[in-house]
Amino acid sequence: MFPLSANALPGQTTDEVAAWIQANPTLSPQSGETLLVRKSDTAAQRFVFQASTLPPGRATPPLRTGIVRSERFEIFDLVNGVNADRLQETLRIIYGLGIYQDFQRARVVYAYPDETVVNLARSRNAPLLEALQGELRLGQRFAYWVEVAQPREGRPIIGRMTILLKEDLEKIQTELRNR
C-alpha cells in the first residue's frame, strides 16, 4: 500500500521534484502548482507542501542551482489539532515507508525549548516563543526538523516537518540555538 521509497527528495533537480509532486496522489496539486501545493478544506483546516532550492532557515545563496535542498509540509487544523504523531503519519503517507523508517531511526541532535527559554518566554510574556517545540533529527539518508506550536493551555493547532539535506543540518541547528 505504501511504497518503500519516495521518488523525489532533497538533492534531486527541481524538474524531478515537480514531476513527483504532480504524480503524488496525496499531494494532488492544482493546475499551475509545481513546487508549492496548498490545500484548504475550510478556514479552520489547511495543508501546505513546499519544495525549496534554499536550505531551511535564514536565506543563503544556494550552493548548487536547480537542486531541491528541502521539502516542508505544514498542517493547520483548528478542528482536530496537530501533534508530532500526526506529522509522522503525514510523512509516511507522502513519502512512503523507507523515509518514514529513516525518520524513526534518526537520532535527535537538538530539541527545544529548554527550561531557560521557557522561563525567559514567560517573564517576557512571549507565548509563541514558549509554545514552539521542536527537534532536529539526523537520519541515515536525511535530516528532519519537526516543530509544533504547543500552547500552555489547549491543544496544538499547527505543526510542520522539513526534510533536508544532511549537510544543511548544522546551519539550521546554529540558527535555532541563537534565536
Side-chain angles (χ1 to χ4, degrees), residues 44-45 75-83 86 155-159:
Q45 295 178 308
I75 302 170
F76 171 81
D77 192 339
L78 280 170
V79 177
N80 303 305
V82 179
N83 59 26
R86 183 165 178 198
R155 66 177 181 214
I157 58 170
I158 190 165

Side-chain angles (χ1 to χ4, degrees), residues 42-115:
T42 68
Q45 295 178 308
R46 290 188 306 271
F47 172 84
V48 176
F49 178 92
Q50 182 175 16
S52 177
T53 57
L54 300 174
R58 292 190 182 98
T60 56
L63 301 172
R64 297 173 286 173
T65 58
I67 300 297
V68 169
R69 298 196 66 83
S70 66
E71 295 176 0
R72 181 189 78 188
F73 61 87
E74 182 173 298
I75 302 170
F76 171 81
D77 192 339
L78 280 170
V79 177
N80 303 305
V82 179
N83 59 26
D85 289 341
R86 183 165 178 198
L87 292 173
Q88 290 177 40
E89 179 62 15
T90 303
L91 175 78
R92 185 179 65 82
I93 290 169
I94 293 172
Y95 290 99
L97 190 57
I99 299 302
Y100 174 76
Q101 288 173 336
D102 186 55
F103 173 83
Q104 290 292 311
R105 293 181 189 125
R107 77 181 158 86
V108 175
V109 295
Y110 180 67
Y112 59 93
D114 61 21
E115 193 173 324

